[in-house]
Amino acid sequence: KNEVEQSPQNLTAQEGEFITINCSYSVGISALHWLQQHPGGGIVSLFMLSSGKKKHGRLIATINIQEKHSSLHITASHPRDSAVYICAVHMNYGGSQGNLIFGKGTKLSVKP
Amino acid sequence: NAGVTQTPKFRVLKTGQSMTLLCAQDMNHEYMYWYRQDPGMGLRLIHYSVGEGTTAKGEVPDGYNVSRLKKQNFLLGLESAAPSQTSVYFCASSYIGRTEEMTNYGYTFGSGTRLTVV
């Protein structure tokens, strides 16, 4: 079972393009994270969302709780944005606080 | 720099050998986690801790043990390594902050340990 689905799996874009990565989940959640992982590198938290929209620089993240869907947008993409973007959710259940369920990631490659 | 430090960064083990991965955080976070990352799969939780002296099993705990004797350290042990444990291991720590309106989760990840078992 895949509780967190990301699309697309792979994405190639030209520098300057507007990019959208999607995340859908199948259960109730209390929060959703977008994470970034550069090749061979560690994982960095970009956003935590429980409703609405957040913006940081050229990155915008939105979430629709009713539709169980979130999107990560990158405006004016640049080769340094090339990375794997991972969606992760906190589920609404009686399990331990703080545990995340991860999507498989979207590999983004931005060509100059 | 504040954050999560993992050691070692790389390791090659022979089947049956044992080793310990160390995770240290200096942010006074209560929660700590060990994940493994395998090709084509999302990160999977091995074990976690909700505070000093506590540990609990995650999704894939078999073949691993953990200890959290000090709040800032979370150790992951492999008693008898197997090729199936070849993976990249990530440690993370987090805080949970609650207000009347919402709950905030702040995660910090380590840079990973690439383990190969031959």
Side-chain angles (χ1 to χ4, degrees), chain B residues 10-105:
Chain B
F10 302 93
R11 186 74 186 267
V12 178
L13 284 180
K14 293 183 179 178
T15 298
Q17 285 186 319
S18 64
M19 78 163 294
T20 300
L21 282 67
L22 172 63
C23 177
Q25 54 99 359
D26 58 5
M27 296 166 289
N28 203 35
H29 286 173
E30 288 293 334
Y31 301 86
M32 295 189 75
Y33 316 85
W34 276 107
Y35 297 97
R36 60 179 289 172
Q37 185 178 43
D38 300 294
M41 304 185 75
L43 280 87
R44 293 181 293 169
L45 182 65
I46 304 170
H47 286 280
Y48 63 95
S49 169
V50 300
E52 181 179 317
T54 74
T55 63
K57 294 180 180 180
E59 181 185 355
V60 288
D62 293 343
Y64 305 96
N65 57 76
V66 287
S67 64
R68 183 121 181 248
L69 299 179
K70 294 183 179 180
K71 187 176 183 178
Q72 63 268 35
N73 296 335
F74 195 30
L75 279 63
L76 178 71
L78 285 73
E79 291 183 345
S80 180
S84 61
Q85 293 177 304
T86 294
S87 188
V88 181
Y89 292 85
F90 285 95
C91 176
S93 68
S94 76
Y95 68 86
I96 298 177
R98 293 188 176 87
T99 66
E100 286 187 6
E101 290 80 27
M102 64 181 295
T103 300
N104 286 307
Y105 303 91

Side-chain angles (χ1 to χ4, degrees), chain A residues 35-78:
Chain A
L35 309 169
Q36 180 191 56
Q37 184 177 22
H38 281 285
I43 297 170
V44 175
S45 179
L46 297 174
F47 295 103
M48 191 216 78
L49 295 161
S50 54
S51 65
K53 175 180 174 179
K54 286 189 176 180
K55 184 176 188 292
H56 181 70
R58 295 179 295 105
L59 302 177
I60 303 166
T62 64
I63 188 168
N64 185 317
I65 295 293
Q66 287 72 29
E67 294 186 4
K68 294 185 169 59
H69 181 269
S70 175
S71 292
L72 177 68
H73 305 286
I74 305 175
T75 62
S77 60
H78 189 276

Side-chain angles (χ1 to χ4, degrees), chain A:
Chain A
K1 61 178 182 188
N2 293 315
E3 291 161 319
V4 181
E5 295 275 2
Q6 288 185 235
S7 63
Q9 279 188 292
N10 294 284
L11 180 58
T12 300
Q14 287 298 126
E15 183 173 356
E17 286 185 357
F18 180 84
I19 288 164
T20 295
I21 299 170
N22 297 298
C23 176
S24 297
Y25 48 91
S26 57
V27 294
I29 68 168
S30 57
L32 180 145
H33 292 258
W34 282 103
L35 309 169
Q36 180 191 56
Q37 184 177 22
H38 281 285
I43 297 170
V44 175
S45 179
L46 297 174
F47 295 103
M48 191 216 78
L49 295 161
S50 54
S51 65
K53 175 180 174 179
K54 286 189 176 180
K55 184 176 188 292
H56 181 70
R58 295 179 295 105
L59 302 177
I60 303 166
T62 64
I63 188 168
N64 185 317
I65 295 293
Q66 287 72 29
E67 294 186 4
K68 294 185 169 59
H69 181 269
S70 175
S71 292
L72 177 68
H73 305 286
I74 305 175
T75 62
S77 60
H78 189 276
R80 65 174 174 266
D81 297 325
S82 297
V84 175
Y85 293 84
I86 302 169
C87 172
V89 302
H90 292 272
M91 299 174 71
N92 271 345
Y93 71 110
S96 179
Q97 290 294 325
N99 288 352
L100 291 171
I101 306 297
F102 295 83
K104 295 181 181 180
T106 294
K107 185 176 182 180
L108 171 65
S109 177
V110 182
K111 305 294 186 188

